Every structure is written in structure tokens, then in C-alpha cells.
């Protein structure tokens, strides 16, 4: 939910307000149009474009999260075993 909230907040006002009014305040498109003093068709278009933008942003964030997870797993698995290193150091004699 945090990703969705961040994505909504990053939308331009003209897209953010209709989305918030529709999905968080359960307003009908006609009510949103009256409140924003714009035509119903404009509200429909802005909601459509806002959802398209949100889908794109969330896919991008999901992709970045997956890449981060892969990179993190690679780094974690690539780290040497500290117990093995300590064991080798214990066995090593200083001459």
C-alpha cells in the first residue's frame, strides 16, 4: 500500500485529485466533475490516464525492487564465510 500511496502522491494534481476523490472518497464521476468544475468526460479521461500512469509507475517500482532483491541476494551469497576465514586464521601460525 505504501508504494501505491507514493505513486498517487507523485501524480500531477490534475490526475491525483480525481483518483483520490473517486477511490478514497467513493465519489461518482459526476460529483467529481461538479466539485472540480470540469466536464464529466474530462474526469473520465483523467481517471483513465491516472490509472495508466499508476500501473506504469508500479511496474517500474516492482522491477526496481526485483533488481534490488537480485543484487542483494548476489551480494549476500558472494560474501565469504566468516567462520571459514576465522578458522583459517586460527590455523595460521605467525613465523
Amino acid at each position: 500500500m505504501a508504494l501505491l500511496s507514493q505513486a498517487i502522491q507523485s501524480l500531477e494534481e490534475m490526475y491525483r485529485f480525481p483518483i483520490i476523490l473517486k477511490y478514497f472518497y467513493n465519489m461518482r464521476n459526476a460529483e467529481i466533475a461538479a466539485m472540480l468544475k470540469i466536464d464529466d468526460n474530462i474526469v473520465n479521461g483523467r481517471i483513465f490516464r491516472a490509472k495508466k500512469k499508476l500501473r506504469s509507475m508500479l511496474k517500474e517500482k516492482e522491477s526496481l525492487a526485483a533488481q534490488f532483491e537480485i543484487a542483494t541476494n548476489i551480494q549476500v551469497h558472494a560474501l565469504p564465510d566468516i567462520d571459514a576465514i576465522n578458522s583459517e586464521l586460527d590455523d595460521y601460525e605467525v613465523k
Side-chain angles (χ1 to χ4, degrees), residues 8 18-27 32 47 51:
I8 290 170
I19 283 288
I20 289 172
L21 293 172
K22 181 168 184 75
Y23 294 105
F24 291 90
Y25 291 92
N26 296 319
M27 293 177 72
I32 296 168
I47 289 173
K51 290 186 338 186

Side-chain angles (χ1 to χ4, degrees), residues 3 10 13 33 42 62 77-78 82 87 89 91:
L3 283 178
S10 72
E13 274 186 13
I42 293 173
E62 184 179 283
H77 294 299
I82 194 69
S87 176
L89 290 173
D91 294 342

Side-chain angles (χ1 to χ4, degrees), residues 2-79:
L3 283 178
L4 178 59
S5 180
Q6 289 172 355
I8 290 170
Q9 290 305 315
S10 72
L11 287 172
E12 299 169 59
E13 274 186 13
M14 65 187 288
Y15 299 116
R16 184 174 60 243
F17 288 168
I19 283 288
I20 289 172
L21 293 172
K22 181 168 184 75
Y23 294 105
F24 291 90
Y25 291 92
N26 296 319
M27 293 177 72
R28 295 188 320 268
N29 289 5
E31 294 172 310
I32 296 168
M35 178 182 264
L36 298 177
K37 297 181 173 101
I38 57 177
D39 190 75
D40 289 7
N41 292 327
I42 293 173
V43 171
N44 291 336
R46 288 183 182 178
I47 289 173
F48 175 81
R49 283 189 289 285
K51 290 186 338 186
K52 189 174 180 179
K53 288 174 180 275
L54 288 171
R55 276 189 211 99
S56 176
M57 282 188 261
L58 293 173
K59 281 183 184 177
E60 183 180 320
K61 288 179 188 266
E62 184 179 283
S63 174
L64 289 173
Q67 290 174 13
F68 176 76
E69 183 178 339
I70 289 168
T72 303
N73 285 338
I74 289 171
Q75 289 173 358
V76 168
H77 294 299
L79 292 175

